[in-house]
Amino acid sequence: MTRSIHKLLVALLLVQNVGQSAEAHAKDGGRAKAIKIVTVTEEGKSITAKIRIKSYPDPENDAYVLRSGEGFKVISVDKCNDLVSISAISETIGIIRKTGDSVPDWLPCTEPELTFNDFVIVPLTLSISNPEFKQTEFWSKTLGKAAVEMRPELPRDIADAFAKQEYGKISIIASELEKSIREAGKVDEADFLYSIALDAGARGVLMSASQNVDPTMADILEYSTNSHRFELKADVMEAVQDYQIKNLGLAKESKALGKFTWETMKSLPGGDNVYAPQYQLRPSAAEDFNGEFLQGLQQPQF
């Protein structure tokens, strides 16, 4: 009899504990939830973005990503209510969010799917023609202490190339920096430098073809949803290929056609006497490259 009562008491305690656990679980919002975050431009183009989350009163953090797809990420959240907010930041330099009074930077986590469709693709030229690129101090900060100590004249050399619109030289500098920065794992910064090399090279081609090149002209590059970086527009690519065939003697079937080879870049303004290896950064110096200054470039106001 005593043993039966003991078993009954144990069973009752187990039921009570399970009930309390379930109640606490419910109050707490249950198990972790999966929330889909969609990130697109105003025109509906998919872009890649970093997802941030803040749960009052805790500080904001990077969200835990369960999986990613074209224009979306599925994140895990412990709870989803009005006290939890989510934001998205473009991972591509040259794409910003058009936030303001009518478009909040953060959205409350109240739905299983949140959409950020306020991203704007800023014509990369507006960044490349930024006055800061002509300043030695800007490049000193961006390159980092290690690179400047290695070559103290490097920041002024780069700034002067932008100031003088030496497009061939800019293309070579950007190409060399891009390789070093990419090897250091700084993909976003490397993609931006890659696009600068394309933009400057294309301008050099147009200038060499006796066309008037406005430094702020925006019809050079367009954002590619395939590579998630800025590439030459189709008509500009044709102009580059035409230049290479007529001026450099490349065959129409050449694999180098449309690419900014050393021969192409050196044929452009300022590129003829450039010693490319001087712009390569050692691994330690490349790691010091500060992409925050590129991200912080003044963007046009909307």
Side-chain angles (χ1 to χ4, degrees):
M1 185 67 149
T2 304
R3 183 175 297 176
S4 297
I5 293 173
H6 177 74
K7 286 183 178 181
L8 180 60
L9 288 173
V10 170
L12 287 171
L13 285 172
L14 285 173
V15 170
Q16 184 179 16
N17 287 338
V18 169
Q20 290 175 343
S21 177
E23 182 181 358
H25 191 65
K27 289 180 180 178
D28 170 80
R31 66 180 62 185
K33 301 178 184 295
I35 306 295
K36 183 178 181 180
I37 310 298
V38 178
T39 50
V40 294
T41 66
E42 291 182 319
E43 294 78 27
K45 287 187 177 181
S46 299
I47 65 109
T48 57
K50 177 189 294 185
I51 310 302
R52 301 283 288 172
I53 184 169
K54 60 181 179 182
S55 179
Y56 181 83
D58 299 329
E60 64 179 84
N61 290 294
D62 288 342
Y64 181 78
V65 178
L66 298 173
R67 59 189 177 90
S68 300
E70 188 67 26
F72 76 88
K73 286 182 178 177
V74 176
I75 65 169
S76 174
V77 295
D78 292 331
K79 55 186 176 181
C80 203
N81 55 41
D82 290 335
L83 297 179
V84 179
S85 299
I86 294 172
S87 186
I89 303 170
S90 170
E91 294 181 354
T92 303
I93 298 174
I95 297 181
I96 60 175
R97 286 189 57 204
K98 188 179 175 182
T99 57
D101 294 338
S102 60
V103 183
D105 190 20
W106 294 80
L107 296 179
C109 181
T110 55
E111 302 291 339
E113 180 174 315
L114 296 177
T115 298
F116 292 88
N117 57 1
D118 49 15
F119 286 94
V120 179
I121 298 174
V122 179
L124 195 65
T125 304
L126 295 177
S127 294
I128 292 175
S129 62
N130 195 299
E132 292 181 76
F133 277 174
K134 303 174 185 177
Q135 298 175 7
T136 301
E137 184 181 359
F138 171 83
W139 287 107
S140 294
K141 293 177 180 178
T142 302
L143 290 166
K145 183 179 179 180
V148 175
E149 287 181 348
M150 182 177 68
R151 278 202 61 217
E153 72 279 11
L154 188 59
R156 176 169 292 281
D157 193 19
I158 299 175
D160 285 348
F162 277 93
K164 297 175 183 177
Q165 296 177 26
E166 295 177 322
Y167 293 122
K169 184 174 183 178
I170 294 171
S171 190
I172 292 173
I173 291 172
S175 295
E176 290 300 309
L177 289 177
E178 184 246 329
K179 287 188 288 187
S180 302
I181 301 304
R182 194 175 298 281
E183 288 173 0
K186 296 177 177 285
V187 178
D188 294 340
E189 293 89 338
D191 284 345
F192 186 74
L193 290 165
Y194 163 86
S195 299
I196 285 182
L198 290 185
D199 185 277
R203 290 171 193 280
V205 165
L206 296 175
M207 183 179 286
S208 298
S210 300
Q211 293 191 33
N212 183 28
V213 182
D214 179 354
T216 63
M217 182 175 61
D219 291 334
I220 299 288
L221 306 176
E222 62 183 355
Y223 180 71
S224 168
T225 54
N226 293 322
S227 64
H228 297 293
R229 61 187 183 185
F230 290 87
E231 306 280 1
L232 290 178
K233 296 181 75 171
D235 58 332
V236 178
M237 174 67 80
E238 288 180 9
V240 171
Q241 294 172 340
D242 187 58
Y243 170 84
Q244 292 173 317
I245 292 171
K246 293 179 179 178
N247 295 68
L248 305 178
L250 264 65
K252 291 183 178 181
E253 61 275 9
S254 173
K255 293 182 179 180
L257 204 62
K259 299 178 181 179
F260 283 100
T261 60
W262 294 121
E263 182 184 12
T264 302
M265 291 187 289
K266 284 184 173 294
S267 72
L268 303 175
D272 52 347
N273 295 317
V274 178
Y275 179 61
Q278 68 182 316
Y279 299 106
Q280 296 172 1
L281 301 181
R282 293 197 304 257
S284 58
E287 291 173 3
D288 226 12
F289 190 89
N290 196 334
E292 290 185 7
F293 287 100
L294 295 179
Q295 289 280 18
L297 286 171
Q298 292 183 3
Q299 302 288 3
Q301 299 299 311
F302 294 99

